[in-house]
């Protein structure tokens, strides 16, 4: 009987602990929803980079289509900023920068300027197409699913991560 | 008449009983009562009853534990003051912090005391642990105390971390984004821990409130409960600090020790109210 009492007490305590953990887990979040609409495709020029800083999303338009980048540093989650030149200071220091595997772009002494992103927290750098080339970032930033909504606007879903080769042709 | 006198007597006896329950040893009218009152009371005598002189050398303890406790008190009091003006919501937090700094009378003083005491406490707790480690004070029979000490160091650091978010400026937000993302890298429980800590996926209103609750109630309470243990253990186990001489008995062998005992191996029983005892001994 005594053993049963001890077991019951332990069980009840454990249950209370687990349920306490469940209580602390919110069932509904009132955060910004993951999916949102941007401008219609025609408002983005070919070759343009558009930073939606509040949404932490970048919309790139290349000759072969649109793609969206989640502007969250893959190191520890800060927001990288866009700069038209993220390479020339490294080139001037003599740092070797690898070729961008996706676009084939290469910063050299004769052509040192490439656009991209710099993270303010620990200095990770990314090419314009989200591939990391400098600093502690372990991998390229995530690419997000996007499509054209019925009203003709771009529709970006931040909860769906897609392959880096994903392009939306319009 | 008789009834009134009986009632007054009754009231007196009740009051006497209540006073006696609080001051259980009576007035310290003799050295013996004074010593017994002090030595049997944890609050009045935080050290063990017998203390070797080598234990309480300033150059040995450097007062680091006491300093840490003092800073904890400072942080509690100044934190209480700050709570009167600070609202933990993303709409108010930053403005309230600025108000404290620039509008509230002595707000800047209170906030800076809180801030600098927090920095200092991390340093003193760290140095205290370093001192305990380097003097071997963690060894038997004080291993348990060392364990509690590591937890207290952890709580001190967590208090600093949770307090970091509260001003809600860019530094806070991104520092906590980085910190919680580090937690996410932990195996298995990592992402769950981050979700629980922030109450969401980003550092937002839920996260601010959670950090606030942890900062002002959860962690200080845990810290206080854990802090009591080392104090009590030190009283029970004695301090480390080698085998210096025990306090010397008074040379003339008198029960009270008639010499003024300034720093002269007095032991813990030095009564401060000797004049009282000499006059009113019954």
């Amino acid at each position: 009987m005594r053993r049963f009492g001890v077991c019951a007490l332990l069980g009840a305590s454990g249950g209370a602990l687990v349920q306490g953990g469940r209580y602390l887990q919110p069932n509904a979040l009132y955060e910004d929803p993951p999916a949102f609409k941007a401008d219609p495709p025609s408002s983005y020029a070919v070759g343009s980079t558009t930073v939606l800083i509040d949404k932490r999303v970048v919309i790139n338009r290349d000759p072969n289509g649109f793609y969206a980048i989640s502007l969250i540093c893959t190191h520890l989650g800060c927001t990288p900023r866009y700069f038209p030149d993220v390479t020339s200071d490294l080139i001037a220091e003599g740092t070797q920068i690898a070729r961008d595997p996706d676009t084939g772009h290469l910063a050299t002494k004769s052509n040192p300027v490439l656009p991209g992103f710099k993270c303010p927290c620990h200095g990770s750098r990314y090419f314009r197409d989200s591939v990391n080339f400098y600093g502690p970032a372990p991998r390229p930033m995530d690419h997000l699913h996007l499509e054209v909504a019925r009203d003709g606007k771009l529709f970006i879903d931040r909860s769906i991560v897609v392959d880096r080769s994903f392009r939306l042709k319009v | 008449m008789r009834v009134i006198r009986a009632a007054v007597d009754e009231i007196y006896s009740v009051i006497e009983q209540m006073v006696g329950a609080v001051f259980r040893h009576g007035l310290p009218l003799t050295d013996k009562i004074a010593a017994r009152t002090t030595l049997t009371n944890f609050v009045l005598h935080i050290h063990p009853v017998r203390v070797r002189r080598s234990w309480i050398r300033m150059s040995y303890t450097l007062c680091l534990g006491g300093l840490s406790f003092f800073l904890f008190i400072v942080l509690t009091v100044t934190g209480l003051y700050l709570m009167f003006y600070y609202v933990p919501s993303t709409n108010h937090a930053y403005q309230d912090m600025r108000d404290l700094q620039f509008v509230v009378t002595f707000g800047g003083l209170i906030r800076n005391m809180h801030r600098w005491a927090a920095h200092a406490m991390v340093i003193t707790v760290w140095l205290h642990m370093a001192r305990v480690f380097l003097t071997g004070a963690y060894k038997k029979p004080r291993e348990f105390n060392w364990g509690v000490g590591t937890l207290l160091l952890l709580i001190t650091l967590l208090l600093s971390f949770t307090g970091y978010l509260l001003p809600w400026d860019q530094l806070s937000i991104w520092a906590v984004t980085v910190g919680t993302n580090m937690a996410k890298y932990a195996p298995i429980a990592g992402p769950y821990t981050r979700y629980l800590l922030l109450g969401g996926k980003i550092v937002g209103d839920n996260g601010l409130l959670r950090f606030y609750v942890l900062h002002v109630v959860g962690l200080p309470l845990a810290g206080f409960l854990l802090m009591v243990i080392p104090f009590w253990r030190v009283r029970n186990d004695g301090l480390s600090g080698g085998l210096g001489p025990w306090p010397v008995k008074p040379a003339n062998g008198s029960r009270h020790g008639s010499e003024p005992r300034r720093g002269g191996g007095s032991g813990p029983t030095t009564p401060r109210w000797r004049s009282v005892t000499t006059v009113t001994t019954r």
Side-chain angles (χ1 to χ4, degrees):
Chain A
M1 203 54 213
R2 199 151 144 211
R3 175 171 290 179
F4 173 77
V6 169
C7 287
L9 191 67
L10 284 179
S13 308
L17 213 64
V18 170
Q19 301 305 331
R22 278 185 59 188
Y23 172 81
L24 289 175
Q25 208 177 341
N27 290 328
L29 294 179
Y30 300 95
E31 294 170 355
D32 199 21
F36 67 95
K37 279 178 187 168
D39 293 335
S42 54
S43 53
Y44 301 90
V46 174
S48 69
T49 296
T50 310
V51 178
L52 309 174
I53 196 76
D54 290 340
K55 302 286 184 190
R56 301 180 81 188
V57 163
V58 175
I59 297 170
N60 279 348
R61 184 170 191 182
D62 282 354
N64 49 356
F66 284 89
Y67 59 100
I69 301 167
S70 166
L71 199 56
I72 296 173
C73 185
T74 50
H75 177 225
L76 286 168
C78 295
T79 309
R81 300 291 160 124
Y82 178 81
F83 290 89
D85 170 16
V86 291
T87 46
S88 63
D89 58 326
L90 296 177
I91 295 290
E93 277 175 12
T95 310
Q96 276 290 314
I97 298 175
R99 183 187 290 274
D100 185 337
D102 289 359
T103 59
H105 290 153
L106 181 66
T108 57
K109 277 232 163 65
S110 55
N111 179 28
V113 176
L114 284 179
F117 303 94
K118 284 198 259 189
C119 182
C121 287
H122 305 95
S124 295
R125 298 193 192 190
Y126 302 85
F127 293 120
R128 177 180 162 273
D129 64 344
S130 85
V131 174
N132 57 308
F133 67 92
Y134 182 80
R139 58 190 164 81
M141 290 184 282
D142 289 335
H143 284 220
L144 303 173
H145 179 78
L146 78 169
E147 62 196 49
V148 181
R150 274 191 195 162
D151 58 0
K153 290 182 174 174
L154 277 182
F155 181 81
I156 296 132
D157 193 339
R158 288 178 287 183
S159 61
I160 303 174
V161 175
V162 295
D163 193 74
R164 266 205 340 265
S165 59
F166 175 89
R167 292 291 182 274
L168 173 71
K169 294 193 172 59
V170 178
Chain B
M1 224 36 216
R2 195 174 249 185
V3 177
I4 295 172
R5 170 162 288 183
V8 170
D9 280 354
E10 186 64 23
I11 291 169
Y12 265 124
S13 77
V14 167
I15 290 175
E16 214 173 353
Q17 203 179 343
M18 281 164 66
V19 172
V22 178
F23 304 101
R24 281 158 300 179
H25 299 281
L27 286 174
L29 298 179
T30 65
D31 277 7
K32 198 177 173 188
I33 298 176
R36 194 172 59 205
T37 307
T38 312
L39 292 178
T40 54
N41 190 314
F42 179 47
V43 179
L44 294 178
H45 200 269
I46 203 163
H47 278 161
V49 173
R50 290 191 82 202
V51 177
R52 290 182 195 267
R53 293 187 61 197
S54 61
W55 292 355
I56 48 173
R57 279 194 327 264
M58 192 94 153
S59 59
Y60 179 70
T61 62
L62 302 173
C63 292
L64 286 166
L67 278 174
S68 306
F69 182 62
F70 170 71
L71 289 170
F72 182 79
I73 300 290
V74 168
L75 286 162
T76 310
V77 173
T78 54
L80 209 61
Y81 273 104
L82 293 177
M83 281 170 75
F84 284 111
Y85 281 101
Y86 178 82
V87 177
S89 109
T90 51
N91 292 331
H92 295 101
Y94 182 73
Q95 188 57 45
D96 290 350
M97 184 270 290
R98 300 283 284 184
D99 272 3
L100 274 165
Q101 195 83 330
F102 298 112
V103 179
V104 177
T105 310
F106 291 128
L109 176 73
I110 297 291
R111 176 161 188 257
N112 282 328
M113 277 176 74
H114 199 74
R115 181 181 160 79
W116 288 107
H119 285 306
M121 190 176 162
V122 173
I123 294 169
T124 56
V125 169
W126 190 92
L127 286 176
H128 185 48
M129 301 219 51
R131 196 281 294 170
V132 167
F133 181 77
L134 292 174
T135 57
Y138 58 88
K139 290 175 187 171
K140 197 174 177 182
R142 302 183 182 85
E143 307 101 314
F144 180 68
N145 234 0
W146 173 259
V148 175
T150 54
L151 289 179
L152 280 168
L153 175 67
L154 184 71
I155 284 180
T156 309
L157 296 177
L158 286 176
L159 275 164
S160 280
F161 180 60
T162 48
Y164 204 14
L165 180 65
L166 304 186
W168 199 251
D169 52 9
Q170 286 295 311
L171 186 66
S172 316
I173 297 167
W174 297 112
V176 170
T177 301
V178 165
T180 49
N181 270 317
M182 285 180 184
K184 200 163 99 180
Y185 276 120
I188 302 165
Y192 180 70
T193 306
R194 180 170 199 264
Y195 187 63
L196 222 57
L197 212 54
L198 290 181
K201 289 173 179 148
I202 54 163
V203 181
D205 253 317
N206 278 359
L208 180 60
L209 188 58
R210 280 174 189 224
F211 272 54
Y212 178 75
V213 170
L214 285 177
H215 186 78
V216 304
V217 185
L219 291 168
L221 190 67
F224 180 76
L225 292 177
L226 285 175
M227 218 178 287
V228 174
I229 301 174
F231 288 156
W232 179 246
R233 296 307 317 166
V234 163
R235 186 177 153 113
N236 267 16
D237 297 337
L239 290 86
S240 64
L243 299 173
W246 289 103
V248 184
K249 273 186 187 160
N252 61 9
S254 97
R255 195 165 63 84
H256 300 311
S258 55
E259 296 292 313
R261 298 147 160 178
R262 277 204 195 86
S266 61
T269 62
T270 311
R272 291 252 172 85
W273 39 73
R274 185 171 298 111
S275 58
V276 177
T277 60
T278 48
V279 174
T280 57
T281 304
R282 278 180 284 192

